[in-house]
């Protein structure tokens, strides 16, 4: 697993990548909120969530740092 956290200007970037088996991002994976809940929370703070999955899984958060957070 790799964790990358960096600040570029006023944007915080967080990336988590692993070499697991991946998953189908559009397929419902369980009964919880999961990715949909994370996306909703990121929208509330004007952030972005990106999920890439193929031979590995990467979850990236881009969060604008301003006085509203």
């Amino acid at each position: 697993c790799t964790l990358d956290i960096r600040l570029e200007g006023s944007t915080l970037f967080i990336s988590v990548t692993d070499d697991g088996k991946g998953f189908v991002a559009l397929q419902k994976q369980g009964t919880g909120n999961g990715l949909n809940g994370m996306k909703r929370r990121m929208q509330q703070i004007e952030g972005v969530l990106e999920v890439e999955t193929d031979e590995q899984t990467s979850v990236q958060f881009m969060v604008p740092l301003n006085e509203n957070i």
Side-chain angles (χ1 to χ4, degrees):
C1 180
T2 303
L3 173 65
D4 178 41
I5 302 172
R6 67 185 190 282
L7 182 62
E8 292 183 14
S10 62
T11 302
L12 176 65
F13 292 87
I14 302 172
S15 176
V16 180
T17 304
D18 77 15
D19 58 357
K21 64 180 182 175
F23 60 94
V24 178
L26 297 177
Q27 184 177 354
K28 187 167 177 67
Q29 295 292 317
T31 59
N33 288 320
L35 292 175
N36 288 329
M38 291 190 321
K39 286 180 184 178
R40 202 170 33 253
R41 288 181 181 94
M42 290 298 290
Q43 289 173 345
Q44 290 173 344
I45 61 170
E46 299 178 1
V48 176
L49 169 69
E50 293 181 354
V51 177
E52 298 175 8
T53 180
D54 46 39
E55 295 174 7
Q56 62 184 14
T57 300
S58 174
V59 180
Q60 301 174 8
F61 302 89
M62 288 150 275
V63 182
L65 300 178
N66 59 43
E67 63 277 356
N68 296 327
I69 295 179

